[in-house]
Amino acid sequence: MKRKLAAVAVLSATALLTGVVQAGAAQAGPAPHAPQRADLLAQANGQAAKVAHALALGGQEQLVAKDVVVDADGTRHLRYERTFAGLPVLGGDLVVHQKADGSTTAVDKAVGAKLALPSLAPQIPADRAAAQATGAVQSTVGITVDEDEAPLIEVHQAGKAELVVWATDGSPRLAYRTTVEGLRADGTPSSQLLVTDAATGQVLSTHEQVQTASGSGKGVFVGSVPLTTTQSGSSYQLKDATRGGQATYTLKNKTSGSGTLVANTTNSFGNGLVSNQESAAVDAQYGAAATWDFYKNTFGRNGIRNDGVGAVSRVHYGTNYVNAFWSDTCFCMTYGDGASNTHPLTALDVAGHEMTHGVTSATAGLNYSGESGGLNEATSDIFGTMVEWYANLPSDKPDYLIGEQININGDGKPLRYMDQPSKDGRSADYWSSSVGGLDVHYSSGVANHFFYLLAEGSGAKTVNGVSYNSPTYNGSTLAGIGRDKAAAIWYRALTTYFTSTTNYAAARTGSLKAAADLYGASSAEYNAVAATWTAVNVK
């Protein structure tokens, strides 16, 4: 998605000194949730065979635990991936909901189709499948399907083709999964994951794994902010041991490698000017910390993967690179310096949006296409916005406007509007049968509109100094339940009920279940969720 331009910061030495962690000194132990999560996953895997039998899965099918959510009353939600004859099943993910006594109450499946393959022998050899995948990507050189991405200019040979079972469309068949690396015209690395039919070579699915954010314009200041740093000898590093070791590196305008850990001898980073290379690093480190704190203090989530491991941030990527992106592969956020290398894209909501792609990947794994892709993008918009509200910086006043400070269109208008998405000229306010055919950044409008209406209600109003006017499909009047409750419901649905193939109808069902869990099936919040989905024409 295209995002807001950078915010540079002045950092006081006093504030920094209160957060210094001495390298080599006594460190905090492993994140408290990490061992518990590992135990829960082990227990879920221990139940896998029993669960598979209860679900009447075939003898060649096995379940592998991916995540576990435990409620205060002991109810467990076990998220599994599925294999068939040892092969990963794409679309085979499911969530099993169990009471504290171990009895299963419900199961949410990405795809309900029975798995039965006539043969496990592919008609196309793996090397040919990899070559076909490369050819499929090479055919797109110079063009792009996603309006948010620059065209490809270079494609490298694909990696090894992995045999899988494709079940996402409800017609299970043998397929290959291949990653093809490349480079886009604006310098963004490309890592396209293609699924091709093992009998015909037909491309069944393609997904760009590098999630991008684009913008241009002047930077904004986040002001003086505290950072937790690490002292190593006489040097202070932008490395935060209290948040999973997350750290910020500079690539010094290169486009590869891990870069150099940002450090100096004074423990005061940046001077608020773009010309100081540390200023963008301060923004990136603060954005990562704010995102970590939002998820942990709001939902008890211990890092993006909920495993206590902090992400890496990389600044000064490329030359005149007007973009920023998250990659699961390196578990890192990367920021360019923008036009003329003077507009770094290190804004707070960029961090919140992009790192949320990592949260979605670690939980529901929403496919990045069709309606599930719109829900994926909306999830990042929703929680990127919530990170902005959580931080509540005076120089970056929280709002429900997306990219309001980058002026990417040159007219001073935001990139997207949550109160009435269609004001950008492309996004959908309401669901229709054609929504799934839109670019995911515009089909996301339905869920963005839902979230705003659920949080704030319909009609004209001013929130935090910003004017909004949100309509409804059916002319209904909604009061809103507040953004905190709306976010809690969305997070619960994402982590507990959504699967890789969740569409808008299923999102309605999942969020209603989440509202019932949190507030009760006869609560005002539950009724508000139902009414709000109807207000965006999801019934």
Side-chain angles (χ1 to χ4, degrees), residues 3 30 72 77 103 116 128 149 162 190 192 214 253 258 264 304 313 317 364 366 376 391 396 416 422 426 487 489:
R3 296 298 303 185
H77 310 274
S103 60
R128 181 180 161 195
E149 295 172 343
E162 175 193 15
S190 173
Q192 294 200 42
S214 302
N253 302 119
S258 57
N264 66 32
I304 289 172
S313 296
Y317 172 90
L366 289 162
N376 189 318
D396 188 4
R416 291 200 288 276
S422 63
R426 295 179 174 180
I489 290 169

Side-chain angles (χ1 to χ4, degrees), residues 225-313:
V225 293
L227 293 177
T228 300
T229 61
T230 296
Q231 184 176 359
S232 179
S234 60
S235 176
Y236 298 89
Q237 305 167 339
L238 286 187
K239 186 172 185 179
D240 187 349
T242 68
R243 295 181 176 90
Q246 61 187 27
T248 299
Y249 293 75
T250 175
L251 289 172
K252 299 180 180 179
N253 302 119
K254 296 179 181 178
T255 58
S256 62
S258 57
T260 303
L261 182 62
V262 177
N264 66 32
T265 58
T266 65
N267 202 27
S268 179
F269 295 81
N271 62 5
L273 300 177
V274 174
S275 57
N276 185 309
Q277 295 286 291
E278 291 180 353
S279 296
V282 170
D283 293 332
Q285 186 73 357
Y286 180 80
T291 302
W292 175 287
D293 289 352
F294 164 72
Y295 277 108
K296 181 162 182 125
N297 296 334
T298 307
F299 304 123
R301 188 172 190 83
N302 201 27
I304 289 172
R305 290 187 301 234
N306 202 25
D307 60 358
V309 177
V312 166
S313 296

Side-chain angles (χ1 to χ4, degrees), residues 87-110:
L87 302 178
V89 179
L90 308 186
D93 54 301
L94 53 89
V95 185
V96 177
H97 310 283
Q98 294 180 339
K99 291 183 178 180
D101 62 7
S103 60
T104 296
T105 59
V107 179
D108 289 307
K109 296 181 180 179

Side-chain angles (χ1 to χ4, degrees), residues 50 55 72 188 229 440 475 489:
K50 179 181 177 181
L55 295 177
T188 305
T229 61
V440 295
I489 290 169

